[in-house]
Amino acid sequence: MKTLRSASFWTALLLTIFAIAPLLRPGYFWAAHDARHDVYFILQYNITWNEGVLFPRWSPDWAFGYGYPFFNIYAPGATFLGTLLYRTLHLSLENAVKATFIVTLLISAWGMWLFVRDWLDERAALVAAAAYVYAPYHLLDVYVRAAMAENLALALLPLSLWAVRRAVFRPGPLTIALTALTYAAIHLSSNLVALLFTPVLGLYLLFLACRRLASEKPPLFSSASLRPFSFPRGKLCVRRLLAPAAGLVLGVALAAFFILPALLESKFVNREQWYGGYYDFHDHFVYFAQLFDPRWGFGISTPGPNDPLSYQLGLALVVLAALAGWVWWKR
């Protein structure tokens, strides 16, 4: 309730209007990379819902009507959300996709605001929320790639970081549940984002645990903590990690209905098609200069440094990061 009374929070949501505005216009962005696929996903998902299957494995009309086990390996979260909006708001398929992107952008602002407010203040939270929503890659994910699944996962990352922080500093059933729900939601939104984010989340958890231990009395490396059998205060460290670790394990368990079949039945999938030819990852590493190239493009990734697709970090974000680093160093 405190969040809902904050003018900074509502300002953060209001500032997303410029990112959302193009989605409110009539028409559909068919030329975006996955825009057609997003429509097909919701169409097939809705068919299975009509048959009483909320989390389908099978897309009945694909592969020339033979069906295809698409949702067995493709995280269903964003399509689930899109189908829910399609059915409850009685939208067209195209507008359901656009509504899904609107929701993910709002979640992005909300999540980043919560995360930063928790350890700084509301002014910093407002700046961080706006910066996250308007990060070039974030907007590219919407308007160039139309990557519905990845965009939902990106929206959930700050919420997961916030929940883990809460679990470290305020351990309890509620924070464990929040950690579990946010982490499970990421796994159910994008396989790849979950894979890349998990090591980062683990390092962040260790960092928070060390900070929590450093604030304990006596401090972690004080003379009192160096007594025989007390160093490195392993039991205390385990206790500090117990709540967030329990939340993460529970999160995997909640998403296991998707994770386990995707892993155990992957041997039946022709995975070589993902790594050969155009999809050979060796041809798609980002060159350092591309991170600062201000040009914008609507093409796809190509070998070499001249992709017709932007990988820029964004001048505003680079400046803000530099200023934040300078302030932190001076403190």
Side-chain angles (χ1 to χ4, degrees):
M1 294 302 295
K2 183 179 178 182
T3 297
L4 297 179
R5 293 194 298 268
S6 169
S8 172
F9 168 71
W10 291 108
T11 303
L13 293 186
L14 184 62
L15 286 176
T16 63
I17 188 62
F18 301 106
I20 289 171
L23 296 169
L24 300 176
R25 298 177 60 187
Y28 188 67
F29 50 147
W30 289 106
H33 298 176
D34 287 344
R36 296 176 185 273
H37 303 120
D38 295 336
V39 171
Y40 303 155
F41 296 164
I42 293 176
L43 173 63
Q44 292 297 293
Y45 217 88
N46 184 62
I47 291 173
T48 65
W49 274 25
N50 289 335
E51 297 172 350
V53 183
L54 291 181
F55 290 99
R57 306 284 180 191
W58 198 256
S59 300
D61 295 331
W62 288 359
F64 303 101
Y66 288 99
Y68 192 79
F70 179 73
F71 294 110
N72 208 51
I73 57 173
Y74 189 86
T79 309
F80 181 97
L81 174 60
T83 307
L84 185 65
L85 294 170
Y86 169 72
R87 295 172 70 94
T88 57
L89 301 180
H90 305 289
L91 301 172
S92 66
L93 290 169
E94 298 93 329
N95 285 336
V97 173
K98 293 164 70 175
T100 302
F101 281 118
I102 290 173
V103 171
T104 59
L105 288 169
L106 290 172
I107 294 174
S108 297
W110 171 50
M112 185 58 75
W113 188 90
L114 277 178
F115 173 50
V116 176
R117 193 278 307 267
D118 207 43
W119 54 281
L120 289 175
D121 57 35
E122 292 193 0
R123 291 176 299 177
L126 176 59
V127 173
Y132 191 57
V133 168
Y134 289 97
Y137 185 80
H138 208 161
L139 295 178
L140 178 141
D141 237 13
V142 177
Y143 291 106
V144 178
R145 297 190 61 234
M148 197 164 64
E150 184 174 299
N151 207 257
L152 176 59
L154 292 179
L156 294 168
L157 299 186
L159 283 174
S160 182
L161 294 170
W162 168 74
V164 164
R165 179 182 172 83
R166 283 286 175 122
V168 170
F169 289 98
R170 301 181 186 179
L174 178 59
T175 55
I176 291 174
L178 288 172
T179 301
L181 289 172
T182 53
Y183 190 54
I186 292 171
H187 276 282
L188 295 175
S189 298
S190 171
N191 318 42
L192 293 178
V193 172
L195 179 66
L196 295 172
F197 178 64
T198 296
V200 176
L201 187 61
L203 291 174
Y204 180 65
L205 174 56
L206 290 175
F207 168 75
L208 291 178
C210 289
R211 286 198 62 184
R212 177 71 190 272
L213 287 170
S215 66
E216 298 284 345
K217 295 182 179 181
L220 178 60
F221 297 109
S222 68
S223 58
S225 69
L226 296 176
R227 295 170 185 164
F229 309 109
S230 66
F231 183 81
R233 298 167 70 189
K235 289 184 179 180
L236 184 58
C237 183
V238 170
R239 284 170 54 192
R240 294 293 175 254
L241 291 172
L242 190 59
L248 295 177
V249 171
L250 182 57
V252 173
L254 289 173
F257 73 91
F258 167 73
I259 296 173
L260 288 180
L263 291 176
L264 297 178
E265 298 176 13
S266 62
K267 60 185 177 182
F268 302 115
V269 178
N270 179 17
R271 288 173 290 178
E272 287 73 18
Q273 63 184 323
W274 300 339
Y275 309 122
Y278 170 79
Y279 296 102
D280 186 345
F281 68 91
H282 296 93
D283 294 332
H284 298 282
F285 282 107
V286 177
Y287 288 75
F288 182 75
Q290 290 181 293
L291 299 176
F292 306 96
D293 188 341
R295 290 176 295 178
W296 194 267
F298 292 87
I300 60 175
S301 175
T302 58
N306 298 313
D307 304 72
L309 181 70
S310 177
Y311 296 106
Q312 61 178 299
L313 295 174
L315 179 61
L317 267 65
V318 172
V319 171
L320 285 172
L323 287 174
W326 181 77
V327 171
W328 178 81
W329 179 262
K330 288 296 183 180
R331 291 176 61 185

